[in-house]
Every structure is written in C-alpha cells, then in structure tokens.
C-alpha cells in the first residue's frame, strides 16, 4: 500500500532518533486528491550554467484555485511534505539530475554549444503535467591552464622530451554568442580538449596558458655496500676484527628532458588572436644523485682462548666502514623552442576531425 501524507509510526527510541531524514521512503507518494487539483508544473533556475558545475532548480505546482505549492527537497517523517522532488521524473540530454532537485551540467562544453542545457520535469503521478527550462551556457568556470610533461627517467636515465602540443583557435557564431572563441588543445593521441569563451570578454593576451616541459631525470642508482671487515683470529687475547669497507658512491642522476614544441594555429582572417595563448617549454629537472652505499660492517673480534684456568679476553669488533658519497644531481634539460604560429583560413583552422556541434557552427 502506498503511503500518503499522514503517517503512523511506533514511538520507539529508534524512531525518535531517526525520524528526521532528507530521503523519503520508497513508497512515499502524493495524495491523489492533491494530484487531481494540479493544473500546471513550473520549474525555475538560473538563466545560465557552466559546463561541469552544479546549479539549483526549484519546482512548484499550480492548483486549480491558483495556490502555488513548492516541491520540497527535504523530507521529515514527522511532517511529510505535501509535494517532494522525488514525485518528479527529471530528465535532460545535457545535465544529470541530483537528488536535492538540482542538476549537474554536462562537463564537455562542446555538447551544449548550440542547445544550452535543456531540462524537463514530469509529474510521475500525471505525466501530462510537465515543466521545462533551458539555460544558456557560460564558460567562465573552464580551466584555461594546461601543463604537459615528458616521462620521468628511471634509474638515472634521461627524462623524456616534452610532448608536441597544438593549439587551434577559431572565432565562430553560436545561438548564444555572436563571437564564440574556441580553443582546441591537441596532444599526441589523447582526445582533443576544448575551451570556449565569449570573445568579447577575454583579455587581449595570455587568456590561455599552455606548458610542455621535459620530464625529470631519473634518480641515480644507489652505491654498492662496502665489504665486511675480516673477523679477528682467536687467541690470547683474541685478535681485533678488521674495519668494514667504505660504501661506493651513488650514481649520478639522469638529465632532464628537453622542453616540448608548441604550435598555435590561428585564422588568417584574425591572426592577432594567436596572442591569446601564452606558451612555455621549459626543460625538465635533472634527477637526484643516487644514495651512497652503506659502509660495510666491521669484522667480529676473535674469541679469547682458555689457557689453564684463565680465559683470555675477546678481541674487539672492527669499526664499520663509512657510507659512500651521494651521486651528483643530473643536468637540467634545455628549453624547447619558442611557440610557433601558423595562420590558415578560418574553415581549416580546427582541422578535419572536429565534433559535429562545432562543424555545424562552422557551416554557418
């Protein structure tokens, strides 16, 4: 049997301590009489949302007498709400519905470039009652700093060179922006990353920072351990043990990798936008020198022999060897070349394999 708004419960200590909850029970449902009076569902949100971020939404039912009832996101078993967001089926091709009634926008900015974030809320008890909303995309929350690095060296080997990075810049027109700035960052076989912005609000320079640095050199191998000292001979007294050998020096660290190469492709129609990218190609740090080897243990003192009724003293243990010195730090890698700028026609700047959403904007 479904549970309506008036609930009964046993007044046990467990119920008293757990009666307040933000999550309703599975059988919680609206009163059919109230559902019959609902004439409209309304949803209100902010006008804009940024990809990957969460945003709130509020829902109301308009009754036949004009009364406006809110769908609560909290649940209290002592005072169950008349309407709860769990009564709504919330769907979107551009966002994920959250339990508290809010939403999480699709993180890929390209997905919403033409459609924005489309939301729908349907009353489960009466699917004919439906509310919808559409939010414009904004891009101020997107990351605009990208760091790429060559592989680290191993056992004193050199670090890898910084990867080749290509940044493509274009100005397109979308349903929401007259001048939409699109930056595509390509690194090897990794998926292309896209950063978008309203071209009218970006600073004149250094809007996007890209770094391709050499990898760190590998740490040098540890030096060999010193040889153990010779044990003392038995006698009266016992012979002293020999000193342990010194540890070997640590191997030098590997050199850092060379800084990578950055290519900026800008449209020939607006070549100045290449200045929006600040590129850095530092060499990688040299690896740490290896630890010096541990000194060898001193030899054990010889055992004292017994002569007549007298036992002779044992020999003294030999001193341990000194540890070896740490290896030299590897040389830092050399910086890569300055970023190179290439200009091509606007229709070619984003390459041939761009997402369908951007291809449609380019076709406009």
């Amino acid at each position: 049997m479904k549970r309506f708004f008036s609930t009964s419960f046993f007044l046990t200590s467990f119920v008293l301590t757990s009666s307040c909850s933000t999550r309703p029970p599975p059988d919680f449902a609206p009163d059919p009489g109230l559902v019959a009076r609902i004439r409209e569902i309304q949803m209100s949100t902010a006008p804009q949302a940024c990809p990957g971020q969460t945003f709130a939404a509020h829902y109301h039912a308009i009754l036949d007498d004009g009364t406006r009832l809110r769908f609560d996101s909290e649940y209290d078993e002592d005072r169950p709400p008349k309407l709860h967001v769990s009564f709504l089926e919330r769907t979107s091709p551009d966002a994920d519905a959250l339990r508290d009634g809010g939403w999480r926008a699709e993180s890929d900015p390209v997905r919403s470039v033409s459609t924005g974030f489309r939301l729908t809320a349907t009353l489960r008890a009466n699917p004919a009652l439906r509310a919808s909303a559409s939010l414009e995309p904004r891009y101020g929350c997107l990351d605009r700093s990208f760091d790429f690095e060559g592989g680290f060296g191993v056992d004193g080997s050199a670090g890898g060179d910084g990867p080749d990075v290509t940044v493509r810049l274009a100005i397109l027109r979308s349903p929401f922006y007259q001048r939409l700035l699109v930056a595509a960052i390509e690194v090897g076989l990794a998926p292309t990353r896209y950063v978008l912005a309203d071209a009218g609000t970006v600073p004149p320079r250094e809007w996007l920072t890209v770094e391709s640095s050499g990898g760190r050199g590998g740490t040098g191998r540890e030096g060999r351990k010193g040889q153990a000292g010779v044990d003392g001979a038995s006698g009266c007294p016992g012979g002293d043990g020999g000193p342990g050998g010194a540890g070997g020096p640590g191997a030098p660290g590997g050199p850092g990798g060379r800084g990578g190469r950055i290519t900026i492709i800008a449209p020939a129609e607006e070549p100045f936008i290449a200045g929006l990218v600040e590129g850095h190609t530092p060499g990688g740090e040299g690896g740490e020198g290896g630890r010096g080897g541990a000194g060898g243990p001193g030899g054990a003192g010889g055992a004292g022999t017994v002569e007549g009724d007298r036992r002779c003293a044992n020999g003294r243990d030999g001193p341990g060897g000194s540890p070896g010195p740490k290896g030299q730090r590897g040389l830092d890698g050399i910086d890569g070349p300055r970023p190179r700028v290439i200009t091509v026609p606007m229709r070619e700047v984003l390459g041939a394999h761009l997402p369908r959403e951007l291809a449609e904007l380019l076709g406009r």
Side-chain angles (χ1 to χ4, degrees):
M1 172 180 257
K2 287 189 178 286
R3 181 183 302 174
F4 300 115
F5 303 117
S6 62
T7 59
S8 60
F9 51 86
F10 295 102
L11 296 177
T12 63
S13 59
F14 172 79
V15 173
L16 288 174
T17 57
S18 63
S19 61
C20 185
S21 171
T22 59
R23 189 172 185 178
D27 60 350
F28 186 50
D31 186 332
L34 179 60
V35 171
R37 297 185 57 198
I38 299 176
R39 294 293 175 262
E40 183 183 355
I41 300 293
Q42 294 180 349
M43 172 169 40
S44 59
T45 66
Q48 296 180 321
C50 196
Q53 290 197 337
T54 60
F55 56 92
H58 303 287
Y59 312 88
H60 292 84
I62 309 301
L63 304 187
D64 51 10
D65 62 357
T67 302
R68 182 181 175 89
L69 292 181
R70 178 174 175 173
F71 287 81
D72 289 333
S73 59
E74 300 291 327
Y75 176 80
D76 185 344
E77 189 172 352
D78 292 337
R79 293 179 296 277
K82 292 183 177 181
L83 294 175
H84 191 271
V85 292
S86 64
F87 299 163
L88 299 171
E89 179 72 25
R90 295 178 296 127
T91 59
S92 169
D94 315 302
D96 295 325
L98 304 178
R99 183 181 300 169
D100 64 358
W103 302 79
R104 184 181 303 279
E106 161 65 43
S107 59
D108 183 356
V110 173
R111 292 275 300 274
S112 58
V113 70
S114 294
T115 62
F117 302 101
R118 298 159 294 178
L119 317 175
T120 300
T122 304
L123 186 64
R124 298 178 190 271
N126 183 359
L129 295 172
R130 176 177 302 179
S132 61
S134 181
L135 287 72
E136 295 184 0
R138 61 178 177 84
Y139 306 113
C141 69
L142 297 180
D143 188 9
R144 301 196 313 276
S145 179
F146 297 87
D147 296 333
F148 306 100
E149 188 173 10
F152 288 179
V154 179
D155 292 336
S157 63
D161 292 345
D164 291 344
V165 181
T166 300
V167 181
R168 300 174 180 270
L169 298 170
I171 301 289
L172 305 179
R173 180 176 180 179
S174 79
F176 306 104
Y177 295 96
Q178 286 287 105
R179 289 173 56 81
L180 177 69
L181 175 60
V182 179
I185 300 100
E186 301 172 349
V187 183
L189 298 177
T192 303
R193 306 185 190 187
Y194 290 93
V195 183
L196 310 181
D198 179 357
T201 63
V202 299
R205 300 191 64 82
E206 301 180 13
W207 166 72
L208 186 74
T209 302
V210 178
E211 180 174 295
S212 178
S213 59
R216 182 181 304 169
T219 300
R221 292 181 180 272
E222 185 176 350
R224 61 173 178 78
K225 184 178 180 180
Q227 293 184 338
V230 177
D231 293 340
S234 58
C236 188
D240 293 340
R258 178 189 177 98
R261 295 176 296 185
I262 297 176
T263 302
I264 303 169
I265 302 178
E269 296 87 338
E270 300 191 63
F272 62 89
I273 66 173
L276 297 175
V277 180
E278 179 75 9
H280 303 281
T281 57
E285 294 182 357
E288 292 292 325
R291 293 185 301 176
T305 58
V306 177
E307 295 187 359
D309 59 352
R310 181 173 67 89
R311 183 176 184 85
C312 298
N314 295 330
R316 293 174 297 180
D317 293 339
S322 60
K326 182 178 180 179
Q328 290 185 332
R329 182 178 179 275
L331 297 176
D332 291 340
I334 62 175
D335 293 346
R338 292 170 60 90
R340 179 179 59 158
V341 176
I342 299 175
T343 58
V344 298
M346 180 72 78
R347 293 190 60 82
E348 301 175 12
V349 71
L350 292 177
H353 304 289
L354 68 165
R356 172 185 55 81
E357 294 87 350
L358 294 181
E360 292 175 353
L361 295 187
L362 192 60
R364 293 185 179 186

